[in-house]
Amino acid sequence: MCLGPVGAGGNYSACLNDGQCGQPFICIDTGDIFLSPCCLEWCITAADCPGGSTCEYLANPVYVNGTQYGVCYDGFGGC
């Protein structure tokens, strides 16, 4: 059985690891040295993302059954 993140963190919640994020989120370091990594929602296209964000693919691509996944991100840095 495959288990995903199990925390309570929602979209843009600060996190240190995936276990602090609820589903369908993953803890991502956006590269902003002044802000914490945050829980971001998995996506395939921008249509999967809430208003104001787009589907950004990861530097290390993630594929599931041949489909590339990214995260919904608004481009404003970390959390």
Side-chain angles (χ1 to χ4, degrees), residues 1-47:
M1 182 170 168
C2 180
L3 298 175
V6 294
N11 207 24
Y12 292 99
S13 295
C15 58
L16 297 175
N17 59 57
D18 294 340
Q20 294 178 321
C21 300
Q23 289 193 18
F25 306 101
I26 184 170
C27 188
I28 295 288
D29 184 345
T30 62
D32 188 324
I33 61 170
F34 299 106
L35 298 171
S36 300
C38 49
C39 299
L40 297 175
E41 186 174 354
W42 285 110
C43 60
I44 298 171
T45 69

Side-chain angles (χ1 to χ4, degrees), residues 43-54:
C43 60
I44 298 171
T45 69
D48 298 329
C49 299
S53 63
T54 188

